[in-house]
Amino acid sequence: MPQKRFSVLDLLGLNLKEHDSLDLRCLCGRRGLVRGITIPDLNRPGLALSGFYDSFAWQRVQLFGRGEVAYLNKLLSEGRLDTVDQLFTFELPCCIFTHNLEPAQAFIDMAEQSGCPVLQTGLESSEFSSRLLRILSNIFAPKVSMHGVLVEVYGLGILIMGDSGVGKSETALELIERGHRLVADDVVEISCVNGNSLIGQGANKIIGHHMEIRGLGIINITQLYGVGSIRERKEVQIVAKLEEWDANKVYDRLGTEELTMEILGVRIPKLEIPVKPGRNVPIILETAAMNERLKSMGYFSAKEFNQNVLKWIETDAARAPYYGVDDSY
């Protein structure tokens, strides 16, 4: 998968609100805003400022908190500019000062001369670090686009897949009518976050929360059913593959066989649902969502049924030798 191109200017341009806001502004080095951020991590350059540049993580965003700024000001006041000047011999993505701290003019001049952007935020270092790492982790997460419809049913994200014309959008529309929520239609972008969570959202935000219904055209779900009928993103927890009914295919009737599907290295439960006239697919998906929630609580209906049948067979077989044919009446 090609590495994502993400620049400092892209970081400044992120439309983040509330608990995701980074509160960033550029102090100097604007010609370096095109520099790319290639590693979803940050570095505290205190050790580098002391003159130790071995294994210096210059490719990361450099974060200056109160400790780094106090030491930096001490170096500048003593005229020890060599270690600070050496810092800018590396092509740093950017330097970020937290707590609304103002870098010294000498530092700004060095940064401007080297073309290194210097940013400022009012957030504390720990809070800013956690927000930035979370945002960069999502941006650099492995992604894949899949054809299907993602809906939230009883709190679970269900990715409805199948051949074109099998009824994916119509099934999702019926689920929305029943009070569930649409995440994305037609093309779903799935990201692998933290190595084990699959987060799905619409691949194109401009046409997000619109659906194409054959014979009806494009409809706006938000306008028709309200903002309570949509979600921006949701974890994909079940894959439901709709397929035309095949009389020659043997379908699982007990549910003891647990099918899975691998997406970006993560395995999630998969259902194969045959579609034919008379089958109420939306209610099947509702039941599947509730059944999956029961499984997460440790209750497996199909296995319990199988165990009860085995117990009954064993009990009946154990009684047979002790009773004659006439005794059974």
Side-chain angles (χ1 to χ4, degrees):
M1 182 178 294
Q3 190 178 53
K4 181 178 178 63
R5 171 66 183 175
F6 186 76
S7 67
V8 180
L9 185 61
D10 293 327
L11 181 65
L12 284 169
L14 291 176
N15 185 22
L16 304 171
K17 300 177 182 178
E18 299 177 356
H19 62 278
D20 286 330
S21 174
L22 296 178
D23 189 28
L24 285 173
R25 49 201 165 274
C26 182
L27 299 180
C28 68
R30 284 175 172 78
R31 63 188 173 91
L33 290 176
V34 294
R35 290 188 179 186
I37 299 175
T38 58
I39 298 179
D41 205 347
L42 50 82
N43 180 60
R44 306 290 291 265
L47 197 59
L49 291 174
S50 69
F52 187 80
Y53 280 90
D54 293 357
S55 301
F56 175 45
W58 60 269
Q59 304 95 331
R60 303 180 183 181
V61 171
Q62 305 298 313
L63 187 67
F64 288 76
R66 285 175 174 165
E68 288 81 7
V69 172
Y71 185 60
L72 177 63
N73 291 336
K74 182 175 183 296
L75 291 176
L76 296 176
S77 64
E78 296 174 354
R80 297 161 57 188
L81 304 179
D82 52 340
T83 57
V84 182
D85 189 55
Q86 189 177 355
L87 181 73
F88 292 107
T89 61
F90 299 88
E91 191 171 340
L92 311 174
C94 65
C95 297
I96 300 179
F97 286 73
T98 60
H99 299 88
N100 277 330
L101 295 169
E102 293 282 349
Q105 186 60 44
F107 185 90
I108 290 180
D109 293 340
M110 292 180 187
E112 191 71 54
Q113 184 177 0
S114 66
C116 177
V118 176
L119 312 181
Q120 185 187 58
T121 177
L123 297 173
E124 296 180 356
S125 298
S126 57
E127 179 63 23
F128 178 81
S129 299
S130 62
R131 294 189 186 190
L132 180 63
L133 291 176
R134 182 173 65 249
I135 291 166
L136 292 180
S137 176
N138 292 333
I139 290 173
F140 285 88
K143 293 180 175 63
V144 64
S145 295
M146 304 187 71
H147 181 64
V149 184
L150 180 58
V151 290
E152 182 194 61
V153 180
Y154 295 132
L156 269 71
I158 300 181
L159 178 62
I160 306 173
M161 303 181 67
D163 296 335
S164 181
V166 76
K168 300 184 296 295
S169 296
E170 290 79 2
T171 300
L173 187 61
E174 175 63 25
L175 288 170
I176 295 168
E177 181 71 32
R178 290 170 178 262
H180 305 293
R181 297 197 279 183
L182 172 71
V183 181
D185 180 54
D186 192 33
V187 180
V188 182
E189 183 182 78
I190 300 176
S191 307
C192 181
V193 180
N194 299 325
N196 58 2
S197 297
L198 299 174
I199 306 299
Q201 61 182 4
N204 190 328
K205 293 185 178 181
I206 298 177
I207 60 174
H209 304 132
H210 289 72
M211 295 184 71
E212 177 192 354
I213 306 297
R214 284 177 172 81
L216 189 59
I218 304 295
I219 60 174
N220 189 322
I221 297 300
T222 309
Q223 295 294 332
L224 286 175
Y225 296 95
V227 294
S229 64
I230 61 171
R231 278 200 65 160
E232 292 298 326
R233 53 175 56 196
K234 177 64 183 174
E235 181 180 358
V236 181
Q237 294 155 291
I238 304 175
V239 173
K241 183 181 179 182
L242 307 186
E243 57 184 49
E244 297 288 347
W245 185 286
D246 186 358
N248 298 319
K249 183 175 180 179
V250 178
Y251 295 101
D252 185 14
R253 302 183 64 178
L254 295 179
T256 54
E257 297 182 11
E258 295 186 75
L259 300 177
T260 60
M261 180 175 180
E262 184 175 311
I263 302 176
L264 296 174
V266 180
R267 289 195 171 275
I268 56 175
K270 175 186 176 183
L271 304 173
E272 292 183 347
I273 302 177
V275 178
K276 72 174 183 178
R279 296 207 85 201
N280 192 332
V281 179
I283 200 171
I284 293 175
L285 294 183
E286 284 183 330
T287 306
M290 290 187 288
N291 192 46
E292 191 63 30
R293 294 187 67 179
L294 280 176
K295 289 181 183 179
S296 66
M297 298 175 186
Y299 183 84
F300 201 134
S301 304
K303 288 184 178 179
E304 185 192 34
F305 174 79
N306 193 41
Q307 291 171 358
N308 290 338
V309 170
L310 290 175
K311 288 180 181 178
W312 175 79
I313 292 174
E314 291 173 357
T315 304
D316 189 61
R319 286 200 309 262
Y322 297 96
Y323 296 97
V325 177
D326 297 335
D327 295 330
S328 60
Y329 293 97

